[in-house]
Each structure stands twice: as structure tokens, then as C-alpha cells.
Amino acid sequence: MTRPVLIFDSGIGGLSVLRHVRAQQPDLDLVYVADHDGFSYSDWVEADLVAHVVELMGGLIEAHDPRAVVIACNTASTLVLPALREQFRVPFVGTVPAIKPAARETRSGLVSVLATPGTVKRDYTFDLIRQFAPDIAITLVGARGLSHLAERVLAGEDVPEEAIRAEIAPVFVERDGVRTDTVVLACTHYPFLQGVFERIAPWSVTWIDPAPAIARRLSTLIMDAPGGEGTTRYLSTKPPEAFPAGFDASGRWERV
Ligand code: DGL
């Protein structure tokens, strides 16, 4: 095994990034880390979340000696990246709301950003809007329960569609005869629900998942790295027996 790339999220959402990394670089050795013990990152006091992720990352870097780390979490990236880059020498790739591509994509000028309540209140998110979408009407939707619902869906539970509909309803804005036509999936959990979103949406929109672009950015960053064996390890800060049924069905999750 070569030095792996570490992909990190508060839960299983980052697997939506991992699948694109794997598709683009089949040989890469990967270690996926879900901080289930800290999930959800949305409600953390910001200073506490920075300290928590920096501490956890210190242990992970020491244990796995990654060649690069992907923070596959908007709620963490929009806050913690500067502290991580200051503290560690390993290159970090972040995941932040895809406001720039959304501003290019929209025809109606109405764009919604679907994220956790943590991400929509970050200064980083407001800066992205100021910088890349000053003339676009952006609706920020902090969906309180949606990442929890995605965790449950991926754990194999039946989640009532009504619960998902209620979370995404504010995304669809109709104003002066124009409608939202572009929605940024600004939480890595949400691409796993995109099929449901499309089915229950009151009208059709373009959903923007930044994961392919993140995987491309990673490829550029580690272009000269030697090919690996294409291994993937799945680690969680919670013991596998504490996972809801479904997560450990394959028996592949290990404790950090
Ligand atoms: N998947 C994470 C994100 O991209 C956050 C999920 C959570 O911690 O609630 O924002």
C-alpha cells in the first residue's frame, strides 16, 4: 500500500466525494473517516468545532501519514481549513458551496444553496456570494434535519418522503414570474438523496454536486504520486456496533 489519501466527513456524506475520487483514480489507496461521534457538525460552537477537528486530524495524520486530505464536508471546510493548513504540512482539499458554478449555470438568476444550518451562517459562504455571485439572488436554506435523514436512508431505514419534502421546500422560490432554476448541494450528504429530490421537486432544477470537481482538484494536486493498489478502508469514531443497521452490514467499518 502507498501513502493513502484521507477523506474526512462528520458522517457518511463524504462517500459522495469518495465515489468520484475512486472513479477518477482507481489505483489510489484511500482511508475514509467518518466522525460519527461528532455528528452533526452543524450545531457545534464554531471555536469548539475548529479545536475538535484539528485535534482529531492530528491523530489521523500521525496514524495514516496521508499524502493529501480531502475535507469532504462543507460544514467543516467553511470553518476549519485555515487552522488545518496552518497546523499541518499535508495538502488539504476542501469542499465548499459551489456558488461560482451555480452563478454561471443559472438563467433565471434565482439560485438556492441547500446546506446545513452551520454552513449557511458562515462568513466563508457570504464571501463566496460577494465574490462570485454579486448579481444573483441567492436563497440560503439551512436544512436542520436533512443530513440526519440521509444518514438514516444510507443505513437502510425507510424515511418518509414527506420529511424530505419539508426540508427542501424553501429551496423553490417563485418571484415576479421567475423560478429558482439552480440548486447547490452544499452538504456532501445530499447527493445521496438527489433521486428523491428530483422526484418530489415542484419543478425541475439543475442540482449542482461539487464532488467531480473536488476529485479533479485532488488529481491535479497529487499528479506525481505513485500508483497504489486501490484499497479503501472505512473508519469511524464510533464503534461499528453503535452504527444503525445497514452501516456495518458489510462488516467493513473499523474504529478510528
Ligand atoms: N456532510 C457535511 C457537509 O457537507 C455535514 C453533515 C453534518 O454534520 O450534519 O456539510
Side-chain angles (χ1 to χ4, degrees), residues 22-184:
R22 175 54 76 218
Q24 289 183 26
Q25 298 191 84
D27 294 344
L28 217 53
D29 291 313
L30 302 175
V31 175
Y32 183 80
V33 179
D35 183 14
H36 280 124
D37 213 24
F39 184 85
S40 158
Y41 278 178
S42 187
D43 298 327
W44 281 68
V45 170
E46 293 192 345
D48 292 351
L49 185 58
V50 174
H52 171 74
V53 175
V54 167
E55 193 191 338
L56 188 56
M57 196 52 66
L60 292 170
I61 289 173
E62 206 178 303
H64 301 285
D65 186 26
R67 65 178 68 253
V69 177
V70 180
I71 304 296
C73 175
N74 295 260
T75 316
S77 295
T78 49
L79 183 69
V80 187
L81 276 175
L84 290 173
R85 288 185 172 131
E86 195 184 298
Q87 196 77 21
F88 307 108
R89 292 169 61 98
V90 56
F92 287 90
V93 177
T95 307
V96 300
I99 286 162
K100 189 179 176 183
R104 276 199 304 255
E105 177 75 26
T106 182
R107 293 288 159 266
S108 71
L110 295 192
V111 168
S112 292
V113 176
L114 184 61
T116 65
T119 298
V120 297
K121 62 171 199 243
R122 300 267 189 264
D123 289 343
Y124 194 105
T125 303
F126 295 120
D127 284 346
L128 286 176
I129 295 172
R130 265 194 295 273
Q131 201 178 344
F132 298 115
D135 304 323
I136 307 289
I138 304 264
T139 301
L140 293 171
V141 179
R144 187 144 294 285
L146 202 49
S147 61
H148 296 265
L149 293 174
E151 290 274 327
R152 286 171 52 194
V153 168
L154 278 142
E157 250 185 78
D158 271 337
V159 168
E161 228 165 67
E162 218 23 72
I164 298 176
R165 196 193 308 276
E167 294 278 356
I168 68 166
V171 152
F172 298 92
V173 177
E174 201 161 9
R175 190 185 300 148
D176 304 326
V178 284
R179 290 169 157 181
T180 304
D181 66 353
T182 308
V183 179
V184 180

Side-chain angles (χ1 to χ4, degrees), residues 13 16-17 19-20 105 114 146 149-151 153-154 161 164-165 168 171-172 181-212:
S16 70
V17 176
R19 63 184 173 182
H20 289 279
E105 177 75 26
L114 184 61
L146 202 49
L149 293 174
E151 290 274 327
V153 168
L154 278 142
E161 228 165 67
I164 298 176
R165 196 193 308 276
I168 68 166
V171 152
F172 298 92
D181 66 353
T182 308
V183 179
V184 180
L185 297 173
C187 168
T188 53
H189 282 71
Y190 303 164
F192 289 121
L193 298 177
Q194 192 178 328
V196 185
F197 294 167
E198 284 168 3
R199 197 167 58 244
I200 63 181
W203 60 81
S204 145
V205 296
T206 300
W207 303 91
I208 298 196
D209 173 6

